[in-house]
Amino acid sequence: MGKRSDFERKERDFYPTPASAVKPLLPFLDIHKYYCEPCAGDGALIDHLYSAGHDCSAAYDIEPQKGWIKQKDVFDLEFCEGDLFITNPPWDRKILHPLITRLSNLAPTWLLFDADWMHTKQAKAYLHRCEMIVSIGRVKWIPNSSSVGKDNCCWYYFDKNHTGEIKFYGR
């Protein structure tokens, strides 16, 4: 699952987003905006955002886990069916890095992934698009598990038109 975990990584990094990971993002969302969820999985993130008053205008996944989520590869999207993207994407850098560029070229984008990323050399090519980082700490990805994940996480807000400093919001 993570770089310090003994657990076998799930195929396509399918880890449903728990409500505790969504709560820190809520103060940064405009309640009247519609968003698209391009890596929807089982719709857990959509359910949590809906409970907080946010509406999903389109949900896609390469392997949908619910009938109402449309099957589509995120890299086949040609536009955003909403004001922005919000998703918990695969963390595999071969997917994540092109996904940052692809989605933020189409619309502003909130992505949930590991906090360590921002401190790496590989992040440099993408940080000019990053406007905000919201720290959420460690996440309990596996329900009924006795422990939380071993990686701290953040919500990253990417916008191709961003200029200036990155705003960081700690826990």
Side-chain angles (χ1 to χ4, degrees):
M1 179 174 171
K3 62 186 172 201
R4 293 178 297 277
S5 175
D6 295 337
F7 292 104
E8 188 174 323
R9 195 173 194 146
K10 290 186 179 182
E11 189 175 347
R12 292 193 174 89
D13 279 352
F14 177 64
Y15 297 94
T17 310
S20 62
V22 178
K23 188 175 180 182
L25 176 64
L26 297 177
F28 300 91
L29 299 178
D30 181 339
I31 197 132
H32 301 294
K33 288 192 176 185
Y34 290 90
Y35 69 94
C36 177
E37 216 298 26
C39 305
D42 69 353
L45 174 59
I46 295 167
D47 292 342
H48 302 315
L49 289 170
Y50 182 78
S51 294
H54 302 281
D55 292 315
C56 181
S57 52
Y60 302 104
D61 198 275
I62 196 166
E63 194 173 290
Q65 304 295 308
K66 299 280 175 138
W68 51 269
I69 297 171
K70 296 177 186 172
Q71 184 174 18
K72 190 169 206 172
D73 189 313
V74 65
F75 295 104
D76 291 336
L77 293 176
E78 296 179 13
F79 58 92
C80 180
E81 295 179 55
D83 300 304
L84 68 161
F85 292 105
I86 304 174
T87 196
N88 172 11
W91 293 11
D92 180 319
R93 302 317 194 221
K94 292 177 195 156
I95 298 170
L96 179 64
H97 290 156
L99 190 139
I100 291 169
T101 302
R102 178 70 177 169
L103 293 180
S104 65
N105 276 344
L106 298 174
T109 302
W110 280 106
L111 300 175
L112 172 61
F113 58 95
D114 61 288
D116 275 356
W117 176 85
M118 73 176 106
H119 302 289
T120 64
K121 289 180 183 178
Q122 62 186 329
K124 186 176 181 181
Y126 307 94
L127 287 174
H128 69 280
R129 292 173 180 256
C130 188
E131 186 172 324
M132 286 185 276
I133 300 172
V134 178
S135 177
I136 63 172
R138 294 184 180 184
V139 175
K140 188 172 188 174
W141 295 106
I142 301 170
N144 304 316
S145 171
S146 60
S147 61
V148 296
K150 295 183 180 186
D151 293 307
N152 289 301
C153 300
C154 292
W155 282 100
Y156 295 86
Y157 183 75
F158 294 96
D159 187 337
K160 71 176 181 180
N161 298 316
H162 172 67
T163 58
E165 300 292 318
I166 299 171
K167 296 176 191 138
F168 180 81
Y169 299 91
R171 292 179 55 200

